[in-house]
Amino acid sequence: MKILIRVAAFYGLTFVFTIILAVVQQLSGLGDG
Amino acid sequence: MLKRELLKIAIVVLATILSMGLHALGPPPVTLDPDRLSVVANALSFVGTATLFFLVTYYLIATVFLRYERKLYGRKLHRALLFGCLVGGIWWVGMIEGMFAFGTDFADEFLMGLLDFIPIVALCLLLSTFLVEEKTEPAGHRIKWGAILTEITVFSALFTAGRGLRYLTVGSGYDLVDLPAVMLWTAAFAVMIALTYVFLKSAFREASALRSALRFTFILFGIHYALFVYFVPLIFSELFIDLTVVLATDLVLVLLASFITAQVVERVAMPITLDSMAVKK
């Protein structure tokens, strides 16, 4: 169960980080978001 | 426990220094135009972002290696070499896709892949030397090449077919003129993942085929592959959506290939598993 939470946290954080980065870049006019 | 964690972090730092040093000797990366850099790379610089990336990546590879290495066969250095070469091999072969995506030279991508491969192998060897205890009775094992070849063929065919379907439907962003070359690379990449699936099988196998496939896909393959894929959008302000699609489809394909290979090869066509390959001396 612990490993499941850790793996889910890894993919969740990676996904959230990616979305935030894409949004920030879109707002700052960098690249294709 | 704390000492062990500190030692692990020290080894991760060493591997990162080795990686940065080796990459500094390699061919220069594609043009580092500030307008193309991501917000992270603009804030931390290219070198700072790459260093942070390698620290996180190597820490996660080290964590996965230390958790699963004892389930592999052979002496501790053999296990480290096996794990390091398979994970590093995926990075090495995976780097070559850059020649289709960015129009870079094959030789440059091949060399960059090698420079990714070496620190990962070194990381596993160092971890094994300082943090892994030798098994009291290293299990001898006899490899059944017929079974392995069948598994690699089925797994690779499924992954290559799935990727090929994506190139033709969702789109790869590659020129269709390059498709034969892209498919050749895809097959090589699929074989590399299939080798990982076959030779790390004892580390992720469970009674349930689905659970085994999930463990291989999302832990032994997916964690380092997700980081590998997201290196480009971490550095450059582009390809976010494209690479998210690549990562998601590759994870689904690996999950399907793992599950179907186990079903078809192990239970129907070739009821030989690594259990039967392991023959106690």
Side-chain angles (χ1 to χ4, degrees):
Chain A
M1 195 61 195
K2 203 174 164 187
I3 186 78
L4 190 69
I5 293 168
R6 285 180 180 179
V7 173
F10 167 76
Y11 284 98
L13 285 173
T14 306
F15 185 68
V16 168
F17 178 74
T18 307
I19 297 289
I20 291 172
L21 206 51
V23 170
V24 169
Q25 291 190 158
Q26 195 74 13
L27 292 176
S28 58
L30 278 172
D32 60 8
Chain B
M1 194 69 185
L2 180 65
K3 191 182 165 191
R4 190 178 159 82
E5 189 63 21
L6 287 175
L7 196 51
K8 180 174 137 187
I9 291 171
I11 291 170
V12 166
V13 171
L14 270 179
T16 303
I17 293 169
L18 173 69
S19 182
M20 294 304 290
L22 284 174
H23 281 87
L25 299 174
V30 287
T31 323
L32 293 175
D33 180 357
D35 290 339
R36 285 187 65 206
L37 292 180
S38 71
V39 284
V40 180
N42 265 314
L44 300 177
S45 79
F46 173 78
V47 173
T49 311
T51 306
L52 190 66
F53 169 82
F54 282 123
L55 282 171
V56 173
T57 302
Y58 292 160
Y59 182 82
L60 288 169
I61 291 176
T63 304
V64 173
F65 171 71
L66 290 173
R67 186 177 175 90
Y68 291 100
E69 64 79 30
R70 71 181 72 93
K71 293 181 177 175
L72 300 174
Y73 298 116
R75 292 189 173 278
K76 67 176 190 174
L77 285 180
H78 294 166
R79 304 200 296 274
L81 261 182
L82 180 71
F83 190 93
C85 288
L86 289 169
V87 171
I90 288 176
W91 283 59
W92 192 350
V93 179
M95 277 301 288
I96 296 171
E97 190 175 16
M99 64 184 277
F100 306 113
F102 308 113
T104 43
D105 285 341
F106 171 78
D108 284 353
E109 295 295 353
F110 187 84
L111 185 58
M112 288 299 275
L114 175 64
L115 300 180
D116 283 337
F117 173 82
I118 294 170
I120 293 175
V121 176
L123 170 73
C124 293
L125 287 173
L126 283 170
L127 289 167
S128 177
T129 304
F130 293 104
L131 288 171
V132 174
E133 287 182 14
E134 193 64 272
K135 284 178 184 172
T136 48
E137 290 178 23
H141 65 282
R142 187 161 49 90
I143 293 175
K144 301 215 171 194
W145 291 107
I148 284 179
L149 203 62
T150 311
E151 283 183 302
I152 290 172
T153 307
V154 173
F155 190 109
S156 309
L158 288 167
F159 185 85
T160 308
R163 266 251 186 175
L165 201 63
R166 178 170 69 76
Y167 296 151
L168 296 173
T169 53
V170 182
S172 59
Y174 308 141
D175 193 340
L176 281 180
V177 177
D178 291 336
L179 198 59
V182 173
M183 287 309 296
L184 195 65
W185 169 82
T186 304
F189 190 51
V191 169
M192 194 62 238
I193 302 171
L195 287 170
T196 311
Y197 169 80
V198 167
F199 287 105
L200 296 188
K201 188 185 281 182
S202 60
F204 62 82
R205 190 190 40 229
E206 289 193 21
S208 153
L210 181 61
R211 282 175 68 101
S212 299
L214 285 167
R215 184 177 279 185
F216 173 69
T217 304
F218 291 103
I219 300 178
L220 284 147
F221 170 75
I223 289 180
H224 74 87
Y225 185 64
L227 291 159
F228 172 80
V229 168
Y230 276 130
F231 177 71
V232 169
L234 188 67
I235 295 287
F236 299 106
S237 58
E238 50 200 46
L239 296 172
F240 264 110
I241 297 161
D242 291 349
L243 288 173
T244 302
V245 172
V246 168
L247 176 63
T249 51
D250 280 353
L251 288 177
V252 170
L253 287 174
V254 168
L255 181 64
L256 285 174
S258 310
F259 183 71
I260 295 171
T261 303
Q263 295 294 314
V264 174
V265 179
E266 291 180 7
R267 296 191 180 181
V268 182
M270 188 85 63
I272 299 169
T273 66
L274 277 172
D275 273 341
S276 59
M277 287 162 55
V279 178
K280 287 268 172 85
K281 280 180 180 171

